[in-house]
Amino acid sequence: AISGRFNGYFFYALGEIILIVIGILIALQIDRWNDQSRERSEAIAIYESISQQIGEDRNKLAEAKAKNTFFSRAYERANEIIELRDIAKADSLALFAMLLSQYSDFYRDDPIYNNLAVSGQLKLLKNKEITRNLQKLDLTYNTVNKSEAVHWDIIMQELSPELRSVVNYNTMKPVKIEGLYAVELQNIFVESIYLTKIKDALYDQALTEIDSILMGIEGELELD
């Protein structure tokens, strides 16, 4: 009888322990699900923020690319006028020379990937292809920034000293024809043509990378 009661208590206690363990496991699993749900919600918010940010960048890049193309064609036309020594086009050449002081200027000094890494948010983004593309985009932006800085330096350091002596800024008319057709100013046109081609390729690269990221983010958001 004693043995029977002991066995009964034993199995009852064992059953209680099993129920407690099961309860703990269920609670842990619920916590895990809650954590995963919270992390997923945070990741969605991050993806949406990135999408908005680079979407705005895309519009600015498209605008910069259009301006850059316009300036590049103007510089090429000016170089043709100088090569042909077409003095009858001096007024047009003076206007083209004035355009050398204008340039497409896309500048991004807020690295997305690095900011996500520093803030700890990067670990919430499970799509590694998106994070890799964000890192590549940061590098492309950095190269674009450098090219814009080079363009600005050409304007300030090379163009200004040459242009002020050959074109009247008020009337935008040539005042020294020989200087307008001189090799010094032509070299600035050639440098600017070369630089606009580089910038055009960089803009295209950034736009392609942005489109790839946006497509990846769209796929992530559709999972919900």
Side-chain angles (χ1 to χ4, degrees):
I2 296 175
S3 176
R5 286 198 299 273
F6 175 78
N7 287 338
Y9 289 136
F10 174 77
F11 287 115
Y12 175 79
L14 182 61
E16 288 290 316
I17 293 171
I18 291 173
L19 288 175
I20 292 172
V21 170
I22 291 174
I24 292 172
L25 292 175
I26 291 174
L28 289 173
Q29 185 60 47
I30 291 173
D31 285 343
R32 191 176 298 113
W33 286 335
N34 288 338
D35 287 342
Q36 290 174 347
S37 177
R38 185 179 65 256
E39 288 182 357
R40 178 61 180 167
S41 295
E42 291 175 1
I44 291 300
I46 295 169
Y47 282 133
E48 289 175 343
S49 177
I50 293 171
S51 180
Q52 179 181 355
Q53 189 172 338
I54 65 175
E56 292 173 357
D57 285 351
R58 195 190 192 292
N59 293 336
K60 292 176 182 177
L61 277 164
E63 183 179 345
K65 178 178 169 61
K67 288 181 179 179
N68 188 61
T69 298
F70 169 78
F71 292 135
S72 186
R73 289 173 179 169
Y75 303 155
E76 287 173 342
R77 178 58 184 143
N79 190 44
E80 290 174 1
I81 292 173
I82 295 174
E83 281 292 296
L84 294 172
R85 300 293 298 176
D86 190 350
I87 304 300
K89 296 286 196 310
D91 284 352
S92 296
L93 183 56
L95 292 175
F96 287 136
M98 292 294 291
L99 279 180
L100 283 169
S101 64
Q102 306 294 315
Y103 72 111
S104 58
D105 186 16
F106 177 87
Y107 193 80
R108 192 75 158 77
D109 60 353
D110 188 24
I112 301 172
Y113 179 89
N114 284 350
N115 287 344
L116 290 172
V118 170
S119 67
Q121 293 178 314
L122 193 62
K123 66 178 183 295
L124 296 172
L125 307 184
K126 306 304 181 184
N127 190 318
K128 299 307 177 186
E129 183 178 359
I130 291 177
T131 57
R132 282 195 298 270
N133 287 336
L134 284 171
Q135 190 174 26
K136 288 197 297 184
L137 182 60
D138 275 357
L139 292 174
T140 301
Y141 279 162
N142 187 48
T143 307
V144 170
N145 291 346
K146 290 178 180 178
S147 71
E148 304 293 15
V150 168
H151 206 155
W152 176 247
D153 285 344
I154 289 175
I155 292 172
M156 296 303 295
Q157 297 177 16
E158 297 183 29
L159 175 64
S160 186
E162 290 296 330
L163 195 59
R164 69 165 60 102
S165 64
V166 297
V167 177
N168 184 314
Y169 290 177
N170 186 48
T171 63
M172 291 189 290
K173 295 288 186 180
V175 293
K176 188 186 294 184
I177 299 296
E178 63 274 18
L180 193 59
Y181 287 80
V183 68
E184 288 82 4
L185 191 57
Q186 184 180 20
N187 283 342
I188 296 176
F189 275 115
V190 172
E191 285 177 348
S192 298
I193 291 168
Y194 179 70
L195 186 54
T196 54
K197 301 303 182 185
I198 292 175
K199 287 169 61 173
D200 189 66
L202 289 171
Y203 291 154
D204 280 339
Q205 183 177 335
L207 288 168
T208 299
E209 290 169 358
I210 286 175
D211 286 342
S212 178
I213 294 168
L214 289 174
M215 186 178 300
I217 290 177
E218 183 178 349
E220 283 294 318
L221 297 179
E222 286 177 354
L223 293 177
D224 279 18

